Amino acid sequence: MTTPQVPNLTLNDGHTIPQLGFGVFLVDPQETERIVTDALELGYRHIDTAAIYRNEEGVGRAIAKSGIPREELFITTKLWNGDQGTESAHAAIDTSLEKLGLDYVDLYLIHWPVPAQDKYLESWLALEQIKASGKARSIGVSNFLVDHLQRVIDGSSTVPAVNQIELHPAYQQREVTDFGQANGILTEAWGPLGQGKYPLLEEPIITAAASKHGKSAAQVVLRWHLQQGTIVFPKSNSRERIAENIDVFDFELSDAEVQAITALERGGRVGGHPLEVK
Ligand code: NAD
């Protein structure tokens, strides 16, 4: 099998990130090693995990077993809400690195802003120190709205490299992505397929594009993300679908198809609200 050619994007700190990776939210800790091993065998080099997913050890075992040189991998993990704060963020990255069996992660994110506890700016300053220490190559945020992004930009000397937000054709968060684009923050889409909760893959516009290109509906949605410069890491437990989700670099949607899919915006949020998740 030839390894799919996943493009790299350049972050605002000069490091590069593979535009397509593999996410492990809701991957059972007992199954994680096997499933991430499948993903690595199928050509994925970018893995997105988080402390709260409780599967960092499985990710780490799959990495160790793969024999893939560390510099060819891009590993993201995230600071959980209860660990926000200076001391606790430093302790949390050490715990994550130990579980992953790594000396550094490529990207460390604040998982949610949790404005009610008002610690995300303090946590961001801790992430700056973590980057300076070499324990994270790049730092970013997740689920941040424009006000939260503006506050960390104004209150620190580092612009987040990425903002990882819920994003799919039915829920596009244009205000947040436009702000990111204007400020050099790349957008990562979580739930790129609508988490299977929103019936995106049955939308006639998407199924028509799929039959035209001889691809699946999921592949069409992933292509829509990629053609707009968004970073994606779809999750699946099935080896067949893991292979399908990276096989998206041999076709291109037309501008008209991209626009028709963009017109599916419905305000269809499937996950938690950044002002409410604690
Ligand atoms: P997703 O949109 O990737 O959907 C996953 C579901 O889609 C799977 O369970 C499966 O049912 C279905 N699916 C996958 N491939 C398919 C295919 N080829 N055909 C048909 N159905 C398919 O949602 P996700 O897993 O929530 O998001 C991706 C990743 O984003 C996560 O694994 C995680 O790494 C990250 N994430 C981050 C946050 C955050 O708060 N930062 C929240 C959720 C997810």
Side-chain angles (χ1 to χ4, degrees):
M1 197 199 90
T2 55
T3 304
Q5 286 304 305
V6 176
N8 280 317
L9 301 183
T10 302
L11 301 168
N12 62 16
D13 60 7
H15 291 297
T16 58
I17 181 170
Q19 195 184 358
L20 184 140
F22 184 67
V24 294
F25 176 49
L26 297 182
V27 174
D28 184 331
Q30 305 304 320
E31 305 263 14
T32 304
E33 180 181 341
R34 176 183 63 77
I35 291 170
V36 174
T37 297
D38 278 348
L40 294 173
E41 282 175 9
L42 290 163
Y44 290 79
R45 292 294 178 265
H46 167 182
I47 308 291
D48 183 273
T49 184
I52 196 67
Y53 302 168
R54 308 203 188 287
N55 55 22
E56 289 169 309
E57 281 118 327
V59 172
R61 281 196 298 272
I63 292 170
K65 213 178 65 183
S66 74
I68 297 168
R70 175 67 184 92
E71 63 275 14
E72 290 178 20
L73 296 169
F74 190 100
I75 310 298
T76 299
T77 196
K78 312 186 190 90
L79 175 70
W80 185 239
N81 305 342
D83 290 325
Q84 283 199 27
T86 309
E87 296 300 313
S88 39
H90 283 287
I93 183 69
D94 286 345
T95 304
S96 284
L97 289 175
E98 197 183 327
K99 289 185 173 171
L100 287 161
L102 299 176
D103 301 328
Y104 68 90
V105 287
D106 295 276
L107 182 60
Y108 197 42
L109 305 181
I110 298 179
H111 206 143
W112 291 89
V114 203
Q117 68 180 3
D118 196 20
K119 287 191 189 166
Y120 65 83
L121 179 55
E122 179 190 341
S123 304
W124 181 248
L125 299 175
L127 260 63
E128 282 189 314
Q129 295 165 355
I130 288 167
K131 177 173 163 63
S133 75
K135 291 178 186 175
R137 292 267 160 102
S138 299
I139 54 174
V141 297
S142 178
N143 298 300
F144 273 39
L145 300 179
V146 168
D147 288 355
H148 311 133
L149 292 168
Q150 191 68 62
R151 190 156 167 232
V152 299
I153 291 171
D154 292 345
S156 77
S157 37
T158 312
V159 176
V162 306
N163 186 20
Q164 182 179 126
I165 55 173
E166 179 181 342
L167 175 55
H168 44 79
Y171 189 65
Q172 298 174 34
Q173 306 214 51
R174 284 285 158 193
E175 198 196 348
V176 180
T177 58
D178 285 350
F179 183 90
Q181 198 162 26
N183 289 278
I185 304 168
L186 293 187
T187 297
E188 296 191 329
W190 68 251
L193 303 172
Q195 290 191 327
K197 292 180 196 160
Y198 194 90
L200 267 183
L201 305 184
E202 289 146 37
E203 286 283 354
I205 293 288
I206 292 174
T207 53
S211 22
K212 176 161 167 242
H213 292 281
K215 289 287 183 177
S216 72
Q219 289 171 319
V220 165
V221 173
L222 294 171
R223 209 46 237 175
W224 173 84
H225 285 285
L226 294 167
Q227 285 183 216
Q228 293 173 94
T230 304
I231 298 159
V232 284
F233 22 81
K235 171 253 169 184
S236 174
N237 289 343
S238 119
R239 189 174 166 104
E240 210 175 20
R241 282 179 170 176
I242 296 172
E244 178 183 323
N245 293 345
I246 199 172
D247 182 18
V248 289
F249 298 101
D250 61 351
F251 76 109
E252 191 153 354
L253 299 174
S254 67
D255 290 348
E257 286 169 327
V258 170
Q259 281 164 24
I261 297 170
T262 301
L264 293 173
E265 168 67 55
R266 297 283 181 274
R269 186 192 286 279
V270 296
H273 194 293
L275 298 180
E276 289 160 10
V277 171
K278 298 208 170 80

